[in-house]
Amino acid sequence: MSSEYKSISSGSIKNWSEDDRPREKMMHKGRNSLSNAELIAILLGSGNNEQSAVQLAQDVLSNSNNDLNKLAKLSLKELMKFKGIGQAKAISISAAIELGRRRMTEDKLEENAIKSSTDAFNLLYRHLADLDHECFYVLLLNRANKPIQTIQISQ
């Protein structure tokens, strides 16, 4: 974190310059200009009595070793252990992660034939990613090896 960023992160975001506030920064500079912590801070909306939303987001990321894949595996209960993250904020974070996962796997693979185990993996990834338990799925294909349906058999 830059020294400039440290100095502004100590107060309420409302007191920061407009260029440093996550929402305004996104509007003026685009979403690519924001750090992961700033993006999560936008989802949080607010911090707690001791931390700004950005600082709280940095704590959440730090707890996950700044690894978004580890963050994605946190349960709602684990997210709610952070002071300032209640059920609604935990659900917002989890929902955003799920949207990202779905977007990543929503290419037109279903319209393409399954030619390898990698194709099958890519199709099933959205169902299996970040689960803390095993699931068994059956992938039904037509004669051209195009997916017809995905069915969960057991959990």
Side-chain angles (χ1 to χ4, degrees):
M1 181 184 337
S2 71
S3 58
E4 174 193 345
Y5 202 68
K6 284 181 184 176
S7 65
I8 63 169
S9 66
S10 58
S12 171
I13 290 177
K14 292 176 185 175
N15 299 330
W16 295 5
S17 75
E18 253 190 58
D19 288 342
D20 292 324
R21 295 181 202 163
R23 288 183 187 140
E24 288 80 357
K25 187 175 178 182
M26 180 182 261
M27 286 189 62
H28 298 295
K29 297 180 181 177
R31 59 184 174 230
N32 292 333
S33 68
L34 275 72
S35 68
N36 289 340
E38 290 170 320
L39 290 169
I40 293 169
I42 289 173
L43 293 171
L44 293 173
S46 63
N48 57 42
N49 292 337
E50 296 143 16
Q51 298 175 299
S52 69
V54 174
Q55 289 173 313
L56 179 56
Q58 287 169 336
D59 281 354
V60 172
L61 281 169
S62 177
N63 184 268
S64 302
N65 296 325
N66 294 311
D67 183 342
L68 293 176
N69 291 310
K70 287 183 182 180
L71 173 64
K73 293 180 182 184
L74 294 180
S75 68
L76 296 176
K77 202 176 256 188
E78 290 169 319
L79 287 168
M80 290 169 39
K81 289 180 181 177
F82 292 91
K83 183 179 178 183
I85 299 181
Q87 186 178 28
K89 289 181 180 181
I91 288 170
S92 290
I93 292 169
S94 186
I97 290 168
E98 180 60 23
L99 279 172
R101 180 181 306 112
R102 289 180 187 186
R103 179 179 184 262
M104 184 175 69
T105 60
E106 201 171 84
D107 58 6
K108 300 293 181 181
L109 186 61
E110 283 117 352
E111 296 175 4
N112 298 328
I114 302 295
K115 298 175 186 161
S116 68
S117 59
T118 302
D119 293 341
F121 168 82
N122 290 333
L123 183 62
L124 293 170
Y125 181 77
R126 74 175 123 196
H127 299 287
L128 302 171
D130 304 324
L131 293 178
D132 59 357
H133 57 276
E134 289 185 5
C135 289
F136 184 75
Y137 280 83
V138 172
L139 181 57
L140 303 178
L141 307 174
N142 67 14
R143 289 182 181 188
N145 285 341
K146 291 185 178 182
I148 300 170
Q149 189 176 4
T150 304
I151 302 172
Q152 182 178 354
I153 301 297
S154 67
Q155 178 173 318

